[in-house]
């Protein structure tokens, strides 16, 4: 572990986004990003054939309250990319601590990730999974290309949430949110 800043020489602006011109080690950069704790989500959509698709994702964020917008990103080489690019709607599911197995199931390639999963069709037929801590049913608004990922922007058209405990991910593993005594007093 090294606390000294890792700062490469300033890049040539013409080639800054070229994948082979970065001075940053991708593995080490991923480790550094892994120190940032995130929630765990599953993003779902319906394919053109009506088949449900879904992936585990931790690159979800709110963008705007008015209008209500969220974003998430997907690897540019994902086998599900075309489905999400062509879908009119997607649903973001915030997972709870009891859903770690579900997160693992949707993180792996599989012919039918929805086998044995309780879900109903939502807006645009995007699957809405049962028992998530929250879900956000979104109309696809736009896509942006950022390096090796595609960023999806969605307008939230419906949502639901409950008081279950969210599943968290940091340092390459799942975890829980612990409220300290000082925070409990200020609530």
């Amino acid at each position: 572990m090294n606390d000294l800043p890792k700062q490469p020489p300033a890049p040539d602006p013409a080639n800054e986004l070229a994948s082979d011109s970065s001075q940053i080690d991708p593995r080490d950069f991923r480790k550094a990003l892994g120190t940032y704790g995130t929630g765990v989500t599953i993003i779902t959509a319906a394919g053109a054939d009506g088949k449900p698709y879904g992936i585990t994702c931790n690159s979800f964020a709110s963008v705007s309250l008015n209008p209500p917008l969220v974003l998430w990103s997907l690897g540019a080489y994902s086998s599900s990319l075309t489905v999400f690019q062509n879908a009119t709607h997607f649903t973001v599911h915030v997972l709870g601590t009891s859903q770690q197995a579900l997160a693992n199931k949707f993180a792996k390639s599989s012919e039918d990730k929805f086998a044995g999963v309780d879900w109903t069709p939502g807006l645009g037929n995007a699957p809405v999974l049962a028992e998530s801590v929250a879900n956000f049913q979104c109309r696809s608004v736009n896509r942006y290309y950022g390096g090796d990922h595609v960023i999806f922007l969605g307008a939230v058209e419906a949502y639901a949430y409950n008081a279950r405990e969210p599943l968290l991910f940091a340092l390459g593993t799942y975890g829980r949110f612990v409220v300290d005594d000082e925070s409990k007093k200020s609530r």
Side-chain angles (χ1 to χ4, degrees):
M1 184 170 131
N2 185 347
D3 289 340
L4 295 175
K6 296 189 178 198
Q7 188 173 9
D12 172 4
N15 294 317
E16 186 172 10
L17 297 178
S19 63
D20 59 350
S21 66
S22 177
Q23 299 293 318
I24 292 179
D25 176 346
R27 276 209 157 110
D28 195 52
F29 183 56
R30 184 177 180 126
K31 279 184 180 178
L33 291 173
T35 65
Y36 181 69
T38 67
V40 181
T41 68
I42 291 177
I43 315 291
T44 59
D49 57 0
K51 180 181 173 188
Y53 288 84
I55 56 149
T56 299
C57 172
N58 70 340
S59 63
F60 167 70
S62 64
V63 174
S64 170
L65 295 176
N66 187 15
L69 299 171
V70 297
L71 66 76
W72 65 281
S73 63
L74 179 61
Y77 302 106
S78 169
S79 61
S80 301
L81 182 63
T82 303
V83 171
F84 288 102
Q85 284 183 315
N86 294 326
T88 62
H89 289 77
F90 59 83
T91 302
V92 179
H93 306 85
V94 177
L95 300 185
T97 54
S98 66
Q99 296 179 302
Q100 184 174 329
L102 190 64
N104 289 335
K105 180 176 186 171
F106 277 79
K108 298 174 185 166
S109 294
S110 170
E111 281 301 310
D112 190 5
K113 294 180 182 183
F114 288 83
V117 175
D118 187 11
W119 66 277
T120 57
L123 299 175
N125 289 322
V128 177
L129 306 178
E131 305 297 321
S132 61
V133 172
N135 68 65
F136 302 91
Q137 296 184 61
C138 304
R139 177 177 39 82
S140 294
V141 173
N142 214 332
R143 292 181 301 278
Y144 304 93
Y145 296 89
D148 59 0
H149 278 68
V150 177
I151 303 161
F152 291 85
L153 182 66
V156 178
E157 295 185 336
Y159 67 93
Y161 65 100
N162 57 53
R164 290 185 183 99
E165 185 180 0
L167 180 62
L168 303 180
F169 189 81
L171 302 172
T173 191
Y174 296 108
R176 303 175 85 126
F177 180 73
V178 177
V179 179
D180 65 23
D181 290 334
E182 288 301 312
S183 295
K184 287 179 187 176
K185 290 176 189 175
S186 65
R187 293 182 93 200

